Amino acid sequence: MQSREHPPPVRERHVGQLLPAAAQRHPEAELYYFSRDSSAEFRLSSYPELLDQALRVLAGLRHRGLRPQDRVLVRMDDAASFLPVFWACQLGGFVPCPLPPPAGSAEQAVAHHRHVHQLLGEPLLVTSERLAPELPGLSVATAEYLSDHSPSGELYDAAPDDLALLMLTSGSTGRPKAVMLTHANLLATMTAQTQARTLTAADVMMNWIGFDHVSALLEFHLLPVRLGASQLHVPSQVVLDDPLDFLRLASRHEVTTTFTPNFLLGLINTAHRQGPPDTALDLTRLRHVISGGEAVPCATGTEFLRNFAPSGLRSDALWPAFGMTESCAGIIYSSDFPDADAEHEFAGVGNPVQQLDIRICDTQGNSVADGGCGEVQLRGPMITSGYYRNEEATRSAYTSDGWFRTGDLGRLTDGRVTLAGRSKDTILVNGINYFSHEIETVLGQLGGITPSYVAAFPTRPDGSDTEQLVIAFHPQAAPDSEPSLHRALTAVRDTVVRHWGFRPALTIPLPREAFAKNSLGKISRTRLRARLEAGEFEDAIEATAAVMRRSTGEYSSPRTGRERSLVEIYGEIFGIPPASISATANFFDLGGTSLDLLRLRGHAVRRLGAPRLQTIDLLTAPTPRALAARLEEDSAGGAKTDDDYDPLVPMQQTGTKTPLFCVHPGAGEVLVLLDLARHFTGDRPFYAIRARGFTDGETPFTSHHEMISAYTRAIREKQPHGPYALAGYSSGGIIAFAIARRLQSQGEEVAFLGGIDFPPVLRPLLSGLDFSVTVSVLSHFLGFLDKKQSEELPAEIRGLPLRQQIRTVMDLAPAGRLAELDMDLEKFTTWMTLADSLKKVRAQYEPEGTVPSITIFHGASPPPLPVFNDVADHRAEQAWIDHLRHWDTYSATPARYIQVPGEHHTLTAPPHVTAFQALFRREIDRNMQDGPTG
């Protein structure tokens, strides 16, 4: 056991005293807020300015009736908005709890927020006007409203043991615990960290981690406030988009101390290897790069120090560290890396701060000898007293004699701590903990996987900068059913990406007997990991790779410089060696998401000089070879014309069944069909039909006849004769019906016609649907406006020039959503003008005649159309069903109506797409008679 001498007592009683003191004593200290929307813009502030902002928000909170020790949820996505609210809580004695940014689907984010809201007793949630629509059903006050008050003059004098802060412990898709941190906890940690790192008011501290992380809030904000030091806050995406910006910012602002998990060190090393050295970097003032959150491989750390030594980086600047939310961030620091870790694979985390006691215990709770391995346990004034309203979790976190159980395994040798793993069932990827049981629960619900026979566990290959996720499962399909196995492998990979934002390093189908279970039916993940790392699953891994190769095509090496560059870009995006990527590998078969698609476009534009590259090019040329050829064509010059237009976008081309042709919704674009199409992998090809007019040189259709002729001609060129399978999303269902009628007139059979959530008769729904309504409705569909905004905005913008109407929407749209869709004013103007043109073309058509059969898939509520705005929910739902029933008139046999999860604009998106695609594919198989009909 290691103990440290106690430092002098702290001079403050509570955290709320820190900012007024800094404003008085250090008015010259600077706060830099990096702009959320611009990589070149900073906003400069000071402690007196921050105090004034906080006092205004405090007056607003008191106006809402808050009293000392009331809880306050805070959801902000930039420092300039978050910090005044945080300090208002400290100055008024309220207890803030930062909410993390949403991960996974919107539905998961809402469920997470509601759970936290209930856990904390349904407190007020403070957010921005821009984010408020993402938080339905909660009691919300916007920061803009709260700050519109005169500064409050009365401050609350909290007691040291009062609760000061609640911090959530798990990712934003789980059911988190709220760690209780008192003023005494926070102040004790700051005193210990100041002494351990020899910090003063002359330091400049840089943070790029969100304030839902305790290290960002305490070590890189509260601590410099207490010292009167300057601080810089940068959105994480700025650093992740270009890792070398981490060091450029440190150089430009003369940063002395900063923080990063090890995975960023690996990204920085990779970026450094790929380009010439930045001779402008000056890192001579950078004393401490604290690296916590995951183990630091010595090779990664020493490469980082070596790479930037010519820029003045000190040989001892990298400090591996250990801390937890429960310990108020960093409490163990290694100031002697790399010298103390020679010939070790991973760096030790060093020596504990003063006032912290550490012991190492075996599984029976007995202290082990110096150098022995066991669980790291902690005791000291910075350690939490437990979890808010969760007695069971609090009891299990402490030993009977009052020591906190970290769940981490380690050794204590001559007072120095080295970690050796974890006793908890978690996977630590890029500094973030993911819980095995949460991943297994989600994957166990997928078709093709045997329930209760799926395991999620970590591995760390030699030389890796972070742990990697392994998924083992027992497939339901027979071992020789490669298409079914390929679909299951794809579903596992895509589900992990959609829910948690990263890819499994390995997905291994295993026989049932490989899953050793105890008497309670629990799988031994530890045993699976040991067998994997012993090489016992090599045959299964190679067999799986062979299935994927046969399903996606054999390897073909790149033949040109463009192909090699694109293969390298694919490798970066997917985190796999470029040498293993075929020039004919399909971007989506590799696991590409819509976000990855936009990353690919950005890389190609920057590195290959392809400013004319559009998203549609990536959809229609998804392999390095095809995309290189497309770029070659573009560089040869020559504007696109209508003669170059091809309506068919091959979203998925594998499978031997009859292809499905699916028509675009009203906006004309087909990205909304991407998630649905990927569920057809190995089943049947999926061609989306995209409107004309998106590409430079193309003109929109001027008549319904012209549009139907173009679509029908393209379908017959791809599939000369029936039977055909057709579908259409939203008003695309009416276009699909017109195509079916045209094919019938040519003597062809349409065996399947599906409509997704739209009736056949448009005229009653088009009342009042002018350009202002079109822009507002489609902006809601795209996630630029919330429902209320889409209903109220038309009256505000009607009468403005069309471009000004569009600009108004762009000003309201969340920046993250604009980035996700790669949207700017010019592109959005083109899209909205085209959408309005398509609306006019559709209005020319009235359905007539019949087709043999129609299947309509619909949600429970109507889409956001003006005709339903003033109708009660239950009446609107019935009115919508009545409109849908008009399809009976156009079907020779009774139309089939199938209700599916989700609403109009979420049917084909996660998480609803998983249930929808199963029903959709079953109906196609039943009608086409080329697959199972169960």
Side-chain angles (χ1 to χ4, degrees):
M1 181 173 70
Q2 177 74 14
S3 297
R4 307 290 297 218
E5 293 298 323
H6 292 190
V10 299
R11 60 181 180 271
E12 303 92 357
R13 282 170 40 85
H14 60 82
V15 171
Q17 295 172 312
L18 300 182
L19 182 58
Q24 180 181 4
R25 298 170 187 163
H26 300 279
E28 77 290 346
E30 297 174 326
L31 280 80
Y32 287 96
Y33 299 135
F34 203 102
S35 169
R36 187 173 54 84
D37 301 322
S38 169
S39 60
E41 180 184 342
F42 287 84
R43 175 184 163 195
L44 185 63
S45 185
S46 65
Y47 292 135
E49 190 175 340
L50 177 58
L51 177 60
D52 179 75
Q53 294 166 346
L55 291 173
R56 293 177 185 275
V57 176
L58 172 58
L61 290 172
R62 284 176 170 161
H63 183 73
R64 289 291 302 256
L66 267 68
R67 301 173 64 84
Q69 287 297 289
D70 281 351
R71 283 52 171 156
V72 180
L73 279 168
V74 185
R75 168 75 175 94
M76 298 291 183
D77 60 358
D78 64 280
S81 300
F82 174 88
L83 293 177
V85 178
F86 170 80
W87 279 108
C89 292
Q90 296 304 325
L91 298 172
F94 316 132
V95 183
C97 177
L99 270 174
S105 68
E107 187 175 66
Q108 288 174 301
V110 169
H112 172 268
H113 292 154
R114 285 176 178 164
H115 167 72
V116 175
H117 192 239
Q118 292 173 357
L119 174 67
L120 270 57
E122 301 185 350
L124 180 70
L125 189 152
V126 179
T127 188
S128 64
E129 290 178 350
R130 185 175 53 81
L131 296 175
E134 300 177 9
L135 302 160
L138 306 182
S139 175
V140 171
T142 66
E144 291 85 349
Y145 160 77
L146 295 174
S147 61
D148 191 22
H149 288 76
S150 298
S152 178
E154 180 183 351
L155 305 185
Y156 181 74
D157 186 23
D161 291 334
D162 282 351
L163 193 57
L165 179 65
L166 290 168
M167 295 294 293
L168 304 176
T169 57
S170 68
S172 59
T173 58
R175 295 181 68 83
K177 302 186 292 289
V179 179
M180 298 188 292
L181 300 176
T182 65
H183 294 278
N185 291 148
L186 298 172
L187 292 169
T189 304
M190 283 185 265
T191 297
Q193 290 176 348
T194 299
Q195 294 173 337
R197 293 157 53 189
T198 321
L199 300 171
T200 71
D203 279 296
V204 178
M205 303 189 184
M206 181 175 75
N207 166 57
W208 60 280
I209 306 295
F211 287 115
D212 57 293
H213 192 292
V214 70
S215 182
L217 185 53
L218 194 146
E219 292 190 72
F220 292 91
H221 176 66
L222 286 177
L223 188 52
V225 169
R226 191 184 194 211
L227 295 167
S230 294
Q231 50 187 285
L232 167 65
H233 297 281
V234 183
S236 59
Q237 201 56 49
V238 170
V239 171
L240 296 178
D241 284 346
D242 187 350
L244 289 176
D245 271 348
F246 176 74
L247 296 178
R248 295 187 188 109
L249 289 166
S251 171
R252 188 184 314 159
H253 292 273
E254 299 185 329
V255 170
T256 62
T257 182
T258 185
F259 167 86
T260 176
N262 176 73
F263 80 90
L264 181 64
L265 299 179
L267 294 177
I268 291 172
N269 287 341
T270 300
H272 181 268
R273 291 193 294 266
Q274 292 174 342
D278 188 341
T279 57
L281 282 181
D282 180 2
L283 304 177
T284 53
R285 280 181 53 83
L286 187 55
R287 301 196 332 270
H288 302 150
V289 179
I290 308 298
S291 186
E294 58 182 338
V296 177
C298 291
T300 302
T302 53
E303 181 184 355
F304 172 74
L305 293 171
R306 183 174 62 250
N307 285 341
F308 298 100
S311 300
L313 186 65
R314 295 164 47 149
S315 61
D316 61 350
L318 183 62
W319 283 31
F322 173 82
M324 306 175 70
T325 303
E326 291 86 346
S327 69
C328 302
I331 48 168
I332 306 174
Y333 297 101
S334 175
S335 60
D336 48 7
F337 177 85
D339 294 345
D341 298 294
E343 301 181 1
H344 289 90
E345 181 180 2
F346 294 102
V349 292
N351 300 101
V353 297
Q354 294 193 38
Q355 285 192 287
L356 177 71
D357 297 334
I358 296 180
R359 72 181 185 185
I360 308 295
C361 290
D362 60 22
T363 54
Q364 284 74 45
N366 302 312
S367 294
V368 301
D370 195 61
C373 186
E375 183 185 40
V376 179
Q377 297 181 0
L378 309 173
R379 186 177 62 184
M382 63 285 294
I383 305 300
T384 180
S385 61
Y387 303 98
Y388 186 70
R389 294 176 62 181
N390 194 333
E391 294 182 4
E392 180 181 354
T394 299
R395 280 196 303 271
S396 63
Y398 289 87
T399 63
S400 59
D401 55 348
W403 288 73
F404 179 77
R405 305 183 58 189
T406 66
D408 290 274
L409 302 178
R411 295 179 175 84
L412 187 62
T413 307
D414 296 329
R416 195 168 190 271
V417 181
T418 303
L419 298 182
R422 283 185 314 285
S423 61
K424 295 178 180 178
D425 291 326
T426 55
I427 301 118
L428 187 62
V429 179
N430 292 342
I432 300 175
N433 280 305
Y434 300 91
F435 294 93
S436 296
H437 68 277
E438 290 183 1
I439 298 174
E440 292 162 358
T441 298
V442 172
L443 297 182
Q445 299 171 7
L446 295 176
I449 292 180
T450 304
S452 84
Y453 282 86
V454 58
F457 58 91
T459 188
R460 188 159 193 159
D462 291 342
S464 174
D465 292 316
T466 191
E467 285 187 348
Q468 298 178 352
L469 171 65
V470 180
I471 303 294
F473 71 96
H474 178 56
Q476 290 179 329
D480 59 350
S481 179
E482 287 198 359
S484 296
L485 180 57
H486 180 251
R487 281 197 297 275
L489 290 164
T490 301
V492 168
R493 178 196 63 203
D494 291 355
T495 300
V496 173
V497 169
R498 288 168 187 151
H499 279 76
W500 293 281
F502 68 100
R503 295 169 184 79
L506 284 173
T507 303
I508 317 172
L510 294 174
R512 186 184 293 260
E513 57 270 18
F515 295 85
K517 293 186 175 185
N518 63 18
S519 58
L520 298 177
K522 183 179 179 181
I523 294 172
S524 173
R525 304 184 190 99
T526 302
R527 184 171 176 182
L528 282 171
R529 177 176 182 173
R531 294 183 65 187
L532 169 71
E533 294 176 347
E536 294 185 32
F537 297 146
E538 288 302 317
D539 289 347
I541 293 170
E542 178 51 40
T544 301
V547 169
M548 298 301 287
R549 283 196 300 270
R550 286 190 290 271
S551 299
T552 59
E554 292 295 329
Y555 178 82
S556 177
S557 59
R559 300 182 298 209
T560 67
R562 272 201 179 96
E563 288 185 12
R564 280 190 291 274
S565 295
L566 287 167
V567 163
E568 291 173 0
I569 292 171
Y570 277 38
E572 290 177 28
I573 290 173
F574 296 114
I576 53 181
S580 67
I581 299 176
S582 170
T584 57
N586 188 293
F587 187 78
F588 303 107
D589 289 341
L590 292 172
T593 66
S594 58
L595 289 177
D596 293 328
L597 197 70
L598 300 177
R599 291 175 61 201
L600 172 59
R601 180 183 179 278
H603 281 303
V605 167
R606 287 192 301 271
R607 291 162 57 174
L608 298 179
R612 297 173 58 192
L613 186 67
Q614 299 189 30
T615 305
I616 186 62
D617 297 316
L618 308 178
L619 288 169
T620 56
T623 69
R625 179 154 297 156
L627 187 53
R630 179 68 53 84
L631 294 174
E632 188 69 31
E633 293 173 8
D634 288 345
S635 65
K640 300 286 185 180
T641 68
D642 289 347
D643 292 337
D644 300 310
Y645 166 67
D646 183 354
L648 300 187
V649 179
M651 287 194 156
Q652 197 292 116
Q653 299 187 75
T654 62
T656 58
K657 297 178 185 177
T658 305
L660 172 69
F661 300 94
C662 192
V663 181
H664 59 77
E669 186 56 277
V670 296
L671 286 176
V672 70
L673 300 171
L674 183 57
D675 287 313
L676 176 63
R678 291 169 65 184
H679 283 279
F680 284 74
T681 300
D683 183 40
R684 67 174 77 242
F686 188 113
Y687 293 93
I689 299 178
R690 189 178 194 247
R692 195 175 71 194
F694 284 98
T695 301
D696 292 343
E698 290 179 0
T699 60
F701 292 118
T702 58
S703 72
H704 191 268
H705 176 82
E706 180 188 21
M707 178 174 64
I708 299 304
S709 296
Y711 293 174
T712 305
R713 182 168 55 251
I715 290 171
R716 293 207 66 178
E717 288 175 359
K718 180 61 63 178
Q719 182 188 337
H721 300 289
Y724 291 98
L726 305 177
Y729 186 9
S730 190
S731 59
I734 303 172
I735 300 173
F737 175 84
I739 296 171
R741 292 284 295 155
R742 180 70 62 86
L743 288 169
Q744 285 180 184
S745 72
Q746 297 171 355
E748 297 296 339
E749 176 191 0
V750 177
F752 172 77
L753 176 62
I756 304 174
D757 210 45
F758 217 76
V761 182
L762 277 175
R763 238 175 252 287
L765 303 180
L766 295 178
S767 175
L769 199 63
D770 60 7
F771 186 82
S772 62
V773 174
T774 298
V775 170
S776 299
V777 169
L778 290 177
S779 296
H780 173 56
F781 182 82
L782 294 168
F784 295 167
L785 302 176
D786 61 51
K787 185 175 182 180
K788 184 178 180 182
Q789 287 174 314
S790 71
E791 293 170 355
E792 296 177 349
L793 192 62
E796 298 176 18
I797 63 176
R798 187 175 286 118
L800 295 175
L802 300 188
R803 191 174 180 85
Q804 185 59 42
Q805 293 188 37
I806 295 170
R807 183 183 293 276
T808 301
V809 170
M810 293 290 286
D811 290 342
L812 293 171
R817 184 61 173 165
L818 292 174
E820 181 182 349
L821 295 181
D822 190 30
M823 193 63 62
D824 58 26
L825 180 62
E826 291 303 319
K827 292 176 184 176
F828 193 49
T829 300
T830 299
W831 193 346
M832 293 301 99
T833 305
L834 177 58
D836 192 57
S837 170
L838 285 170
K839 183 194 71 177
K840 295 172 182 176
V841 166
R842 290 195 308 272
Q844 299 173 3
Y845 177 68
E846 288 287 349
E848 60 180 4
T850 62
V851 293
S853 65
I854 299 173
T855 304
I856 302 299
F857 303 86
H858 65 91
S861 58
L865 293 171
V867 69
F868 298 116
N869 284 353
D870 299 322
V871 181
D873 288 346
H874 68 282
R875 292 180 58 195
E877 291 171 8
Q878 186 55 53
W880 180 238
I881 297 298
D882 293 342
H883 280 292
L884 291 174
R885 289 283 178 185
H886 289 156
W887 280 112
D888 290 338
T889 305
Y890 305 101
S891 180
T893 58
R896 286 170 60 84
Y897 298 91
I898 300 175
Q899 184 169 325
V900 295
E903 298 179 342
H904 182 81
H905 60 288
T906 63
L907 300 177
T908 62
H912 304 304
V913 68
T914 302
F916 171 58
Q917 63 84 22
L919 296 168
F920 191 53
R921 290 174 49 222
R922 185 187 67 187
E923 284 298 301
I924 300 173
D925 288 344
R926 187 181 67 82
N927 284 269
M928 300 304 297
Q929 297 185 356
D930 57 2
T933 59

